[in-house]
Amino acid sequence: MSETSRFVVSSEWLQNALGSPDLRVVDASFYLPAQNRDADAEYAAGHIPGAVRFDHDKVADHSTGLPHMVPAPEVFAEAVGKMGISENDRIVIYDGPGIFSAPRGWWLFRIMGARNVYVLDGGLDGWKAEGRPLETAVPSPAPVTFMPQFRVDKVIDFHTMLEIVGDSSRQIADARSAGRFSGTEPEPRAGMRSGHMPGARSLPSGTFSVNGKLRPLPELRRAIEDAGIDFGQPVVTSCGSGITAAIITLALESLGHEDNALYDGSWTEWGSRQDTPVVTGPPSPKAA
């Protein structure tokens, strides 16, 4: 059995596949202010040949006041159809560092009905370091029809999350840093409490990759189990704003765990409210 996720492709594989008629490459880079990177500027300066730019904040539900929330299926379908992407294409998604915002794109395309979606191991930084080809020309693909099949069961809203916390019906895996989880570090967004949801497990997003590449499957499993997650039970992933939660989702799905969903509002929603339970301190010991 391979130790590599079936949802991740190498830079060598992608370079060899460039130009294939069914291949679509998507730059889904997104950065936090602290990263001091500009995704649009980096795309303009040089991207993988044929790559279209997917902006998480633009292809989103703008009615909520929360960042990059999952858009309505028809909104997503119209946006990516204009990018020349159909649900039947082979879609490779990348970001700058490797395993950061690309998994959110991978998750979003999949829950909207795309069948063959992959993440580029090593990201654009790795691609550049290896001296692989770049282009500055912006592709102008012919529009196509993307037929969405929305997996509503994969997205958790606030009221459902409140019920889950209340009845412990699903495990909660939190991708924020250990300090934000425990409440010893402030949240990067103003006016937000730090800490975590009662019963949540701490699985910082950086746990799952090394140098922008997803860790081997046995290491992913060990990290998840060491955090107290039972593979036989359902999991909800969460983070700061719904981006890096998808890294845990990628790890779970790579290991065959399909009974998972992502809390889209994540801590931006939960931590900014005054009517939600928040716990500080390290996670409680896992059950024996």
Side-chain angles (χ1 to χ4, degrees):
M1 178 180 173
S2 172
E3 289 197 348
T4 305
S5 168
R6 66 188 186 278
F7 298 118
V8 168
V9 297
S10 68
S11 52
E12 180 181 17
W13 182 94
L14 179 56
Q15 184 171 345
N16 289 336
L18 290 178
S20 301
D22 66 333
L23 180 72
R24 301 292 179 266
V25 184
V26 178
D27 182 326
S29 299
F30 164 89
Y31 299 110
L32 299 168
Q35 291 172 286
N36 292 316
R37 295 180 67 163
D38 184 324
D40 289 334
E42 290 188 21
Y43 176 81
H47 48 265
I48 294 175
V52 296
R53 176 84 180 103
F54 181 92
D55 188 325
H56 292 277
D57 284 319
K58 289 181 179 176
V59 187
D61 177 3
H62 297 129
S63 69
T64 68
L66 295 166
H68 37 257
M69 295 289 281
V70 172
E74 58 272 17
V75 171
F76 178 87
E78 180 181 9
V80 301
K82 288 178 179 176
M83 298 175 190
I85 303 171
S86 86
E87 74 280 6
N88 297 315
D89 289 325
R90 284 187 300 166
I91 304 164
V92 176
I93 301 181
Y94 72 86
D95 59 35
I99 306 293
F100 183 67
S101 59
R104 169 73 181 204
W106 166 86
W107 172 79
L108 190 55
F109 272 88
R110 292 182 80 228
I111 68 166
M112 290 295 178
R115 298 172 180 84
N116 301 297
V117 194
Y118 307 92
V119 171
L120 174 63
D121 227 12
L124 186 63
D125 293 351
W127 182 274
K128 288 178 177 177
E130 294 166 1
R132 299 189 185 276
L134 297 168
E135 69 176 15
T136 56
V138 177
S140 52
V144 298
T145 299
F146 185 104
M147 296 292 291
Q149 290 183 301
F150 183 42
R151 291 286 306 277
V152 67
D153 60 306
K154 289 291 188 180
V155 186
I156 300 296
D157 62 18
F158 172 73
H159 295 291
T160 305
M161 197 71 227
L162 204 56
E163 293 174 1
I164 290 167
V165 169
D167 63 14
S168 303
S169 56
R170 306 191 208 188
Q171 302 170 103
I172 304 166
D174 190 325
R176 292 174 304 142
S177 69
R180 289 167 66 188
F181 182 93
S182 66
T184 58
E185 291 176 11
E187 285 295 310
R189 293 173 176 85
M192 200 171 298
R193 296 174 292 167
S194 55
H196 58 271
M197 293 172 242
R201 298 293 177 180
S202 178
L203 268 168
S205 57
T207 303
F208 299 96
S209 62
V210 178
N211 297 324
K213 295 186 177 183
L214 197 68
R215 288 183 180 273
L217 297 182
E219 294 181 22
L220 297 180
R221 176 176 284 276
R222 193 176 311 119
I224 293 170
E225 289 181 337
D226 285 351
I229 297 293
D230 180 351
F231 273 87
Q233 301 298 321
V235 177
V236 176
T237 63
S238 181
C239 61
S241 64
I243 295 284
T244 60
I247 298 173
I248 305 178
T249 306
L250 173 62
L252 289 168
E253 293 275 344
S254 297
L255 292 162
H257 185 289
E258 298 179 353
D259 190 1
N260 62 74
L262 187 150
Y263 172 30
D264 199 26
S266 281
W267 199 257
T268 300
E269 182 172 50
W270 192 274
S272 63
R273 297 178 66 117
Q274 299 305 311
D275 59 349
T276 49
V278 171
V279 180
T280 56
S284 55
K286 63 182 179 180

